[in-house]
Structure formats: structure tokens, C-alpha cells
């Protein structure tokens, strides 16, 4: 997730657990600070600070010359998963994306560097939004809905949307688990986007590496687990706005059944020893849940924590 300095001479990025910067003219990268978790977007302010988010926190602020990050925004740990993808606006204000437990509260918020806790809800979205410009000086806000890239006139100084959103392109690539859309935009009218996601095929292979069968259809899978009898796979599949768990049954001709729908993200499934239930991380912050794979009973919350929790095994 690279990002530019305001003068376009330097690029910030993450390598391993370090936020770094490198001059476009050449030279070695310089470490700015350590980060905990995965980067969820960043912006470089005119004052020389870098604002960034991670996968399980509010936004942080650190001097671009290096230092210790300070908290800028604070999560509601029971309602929100992360704050990320900040976008600079005139007058020390900025936009950022909030992944919440509910779709109604997931979207773009407006606040200021002077008073970051005083925020306003601007727009419900599936993922992050981008401020884009045109050669004549107009500004637009870009976001996706159902995979369609939309643009709406945006008064950046007042922080107001005007008029109606207009479609630009369909089938925009998104990463539901991170909340990012595969779009980049400039202030001068240049727009770049990708119209596909990373699609994978779950595949059975023998110990010699020979393909012996396929599981399910090609899709945007991220994490999965195989049942102890080898007949079923539960997989987390990305979608616009998050990810859901699907049960793939090899013995029934690779029948696929969606088994979660209550929370935006559902990841890291683990089978119970008897194969009747699945444990997984869910919600904005990913606490532990379990769910029976047969029937329509809702998922059951196992833990309630202000920290991200993901199951690795079920003894």
C-alpha cells in the first residue's frame, strides 16, 4: 500500500513490520516507525506527518522524519473493526473509512486533525473512498457499490456531496477483507483501476504433487479448513464489503452452501473435532464465534474482546 508525499518526491510504504519512505531520486529506504498489524492505507500531510491505519486499530500519526506513532482516532471496540484509508482534504481536514459490525455504520467519515474525535458520517460504503480531481478543478468522491465504481461531485472545502452519483465502470476489483478498492486517482483527472480480483481454485493434490481433483468453483478465497474425513471444506470467500464462510462438499459434487451472513467479515474457519461445527473470527474486530454447519441456527459468540481473536485449532 504505497502512498505519496505531497510534493510527489517521496513514497511511503510498509516492509515487514516497518513503515518506511524512499526518495524517488534514489537512495536507500529510511525507516519511519514500527507498526503493529497490517497497513490499511496512509496519507502524508502538508505539515510533514503521516496518518495511517492498521487492521485492528484506529488511526495513528507519526512524523515523516521518524518517531513513535501517537493515537489519532480511537475505535469503539465492540462496534468497529478498524479505521483506515485516510484521504487529505483542504483546511487540515480528512476523510477515512470505518469498518463496523453493521453495514449501516460502515463507510466514510469526515473529521479534522485539530479535533479527530469530532467526526461526521458522510457516506455508507462497502470499502474505502477516494477524492479525485479533474483538469478544470472540480472534485469528486469515488467509491464502489455492488462492484460498480461511482463518482459524485464533492465540495472538498465544505465536506459535502452534491448532485447524484454516476457510474464509471463495472466489476471493480475489491479486497473485501481489507475494505480496499482497486482504484487510484489523481487531482488532475487521471484514474487507474482494476476490473478483476485475485481468483483461486481449491485443488486436491497427492503427495507427489499431482492434481487429483478440484473443490468448488474458482473464487476469491482467503482462508479455509478441511474436515477430518476429507469430504468437506469450509472456506472464507471475499465479496464486496467483506467475506463469508462457504461449505464445499466434495461428496455431493462440490455443492457450495453459504453458512454466514450476520457480520461483514468471517475468516479463519476451523472445524470442531466431530465435524458438526465451525469456529471462526467474525465482526468488525474479529472475535471468536462458532456455528453448526447443518440447519439454520445462528452463529454463537464465544468471546467478547477489544482485541482481534482468530481461531487456529479446536482440540
Amino acid at each position: 500500500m504505497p502512498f505519496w508525499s505531497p510534493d510527489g518526491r517521496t513514497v511511503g510504504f510498509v516492509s515487514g513490520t516497518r513503515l518506511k519512505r524512499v526518495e524517488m531520486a534514489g537512495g536507500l529506504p529510511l525507516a519511519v516507525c514500527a507498526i503493529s498489524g497490517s497497513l490499511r492505507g496512509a496519507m502524508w500531510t502538508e505539515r510533514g506527518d503521516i496518518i495511517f491505519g492498521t487492521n485492528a486499530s484506529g488511526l495513528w500519526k507519526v512524523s515523516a522524519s521518524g518517531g513513535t506513532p501517537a493515537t489519532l482516532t480511537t475505535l469503539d471496540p465492540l462496534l468497529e473493526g478498524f479505521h483506515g484509508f485516510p484521504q487529505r482534504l483542504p483546511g487540515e481536514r480528512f476523510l477515512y473509512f470505518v469498518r463496523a459490525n453493521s453495514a449501516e455504520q460502515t463507510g466514510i467519515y469526515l473529521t479534522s486533525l485539530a479535533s479527530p474525535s469530532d467526526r461526521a458520517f458522510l457516506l455508507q460504503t462497502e470499502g474505502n473512498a477516494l477524492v479525485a480531481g479533474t483538469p478544470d478543478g472540480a472534485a469528486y468522491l469515488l467509491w464502489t457499490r455492488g462492484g460498480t465504481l461511482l463518482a459524485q461531485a464533492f465540495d472538498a472545502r465544505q465536506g459535502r456531496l452534491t448532485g447524484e452519483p454516476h457510474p464509471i465502470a463495472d466489476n471493480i476489483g475489491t479486497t473485501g477483507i481489507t475494505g480496499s478498492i482497486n482504484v487510484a486517482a489523481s487531482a488532475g483527472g487521471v484514474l487507474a483501476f482494476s476490473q478483476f480480483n485475485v481468483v483461486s481454485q481449491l485443488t486436491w493434490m497427492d503427495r507427489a504433487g499431482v492434481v487429483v481433483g478440484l473443490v468448488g468453483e474458482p473464487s476469491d478465497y482467503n482462508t479455509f479448513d478441511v474436515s477430518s474425513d476429507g469430504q468437506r471444506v469450509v472456506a472464507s470467500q471475499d465479496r464486496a464489503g467483506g467475506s463469508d464462510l462457504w461449505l464445499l462438499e466434495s461428496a455431493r459434487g462440490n455443492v457450495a452452501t453459504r453458512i454466514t451472513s450476520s457480520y461483514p467479515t468471517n475468516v479463519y474457519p476451523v472445524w470442531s473435532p466431530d465435524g458438526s461445527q465451525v469456529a471462526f473470527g467474525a465482526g468488525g474486530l474479529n472475535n471468536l464465534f462458532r456455528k453448526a454447519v447443518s440447519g439454520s441456527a445462528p452463529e454463537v459468540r464465544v468471546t467478547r474482546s477489544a482485541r482481534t481473536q482468530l481461531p487456529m485449532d479446536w482440540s
Side-chain angles (χ1 to χ4, degrees):
M1 292 190 177
F3 56 96
W4 291 95
S5 62
D7 61 11
R9 297 178 180 177
T10 309
V11 170
F13 63 99
V14 163
S15 176
T17 60
R18 294 271 174 186
L19 182 67
K20 298 183 177 182
R21 54 181 287 181
V22 64
E23 304 296 324
M24 296 302 295
L28 295 175
L30 301 176
V32 175
C33 67
I35 70 167
S36 177
S38 301
L39 190 68
R40 293 290 186 267
M43 75 177 193
W44 197 316
T45 73
E46 297 285 353
R47 288 190 175 187
D49 292 320
I50 294 174
I51 311 299
F52 66 93
T54 69
N55 62 316
S57 73
L59 295 175
W60 301 86
K61 181 174 75 169
V62 65
S63 171
S65 61
T68 301
T71 299
L72 188 66
T73 66
T74 303
L75 291 179
D76 183 330
L78 299 182
L79 299 177
E80 299 175 344
F82 68 84
H83 299 168
F85 306 103
Q87 287 279 296
R88 186 173 61 246
L89 297 178
E92 297 280 297
R93 294 189 302 171
F94 64 96
L95 305 175
Y96 65 98
F97 173 69
V98 173
R99 164 64 58 75
N101 280 349
S102 69
E104 293 75 20
Q105 293 175 300
T106 295
I108 308 304
Y109 289 73
L110 171 68
T111 190
S112 69
L113 291 171
S115 183
S117 61
D118 184 16
R119 69 183 190 182
F121 184 67
L122 181 66
L123 181 70
Q124 181 184 350
T125 63
E126 300 166 343
N128 68 303
L130 299 170
V131 180
T134 62
D136 62 4
Y140 292 85
L141 195 66
L142 307 179
W143 75 96
T144 62
R145 179 180 296 154
T148 297
L149 180 63
L150 302 173
Q152 188 170 357
F154 181 59
D155 186 332
R157 294 196 175 276
Q158 297 295 323
R160 292 188 301 109
L161 292 164
T162 60
E164 296 295 324
H166 299 281
I168 295 178
D170 293 323
N171 302 317
I172 294 299
T174 62
T175 308
I177 195 171
T178 66
S180 61
I181 61 176
N182 297 345
V183 180
S186 76
V190 178
L191 176 67
F193 58 89
S194 168
Q195 288 186 292
F196 63 89
N197 282 352
V198 177
V199 174
S200 56
Q201 172 68 66
L202 295 174
T203 306
W204 288 111
M205 306 181 79
D206 66 16
R207 292 181 182 273
V210 177
V211 174
V212 296
L214 305 178
V215 181
E217 298 294 328
S219 188
D220 194 2
Y221 299 111
N222 53 68
T223 51
F224 65 93
D225 193 31
V226 182
S227 62
S228 58
D229 62 7
Q231 298 299 305
R232 296 174 296 170
V233 174
V234 60
S236 178
Q237 180 177 319
D238 257 16
R239 56 167 169 77
S243 59
D244 291 305
L245 298 186
W246 287 75
L247 178 64
L248 311 175
E249 300 181 81
S250 300
R252 296 178 58 199
N254 284 331
V255 172
T257 306
R258 181 177 172 178
I259 60 175
T260 60
S261 60
S262 298
Y263 292 94
T265 57
N266 303 270
V267 291
Y268 285 89
V270 172
W271 284 100
S272 64
D274 64 4
S276 67
Q277 299 184 79
V278 172
F280 55 98
L285 196 58
N286 287 331
N287 281 181
L288 299 185
F289 290 77
R290 60 179 171 83
K291 182 178 175 65
V293 295
S294 61
S296 58
E299 56 268 7
V300 177
R301 178 183 281 273
V302 178
T303 62
R304 186 178 295 275
S305 173
R307 294 182 178 273
T308 294
Q309 298 174 324
L310 300 169
M312 297 291 104
D313 189 34
W314 188 328
S315 69

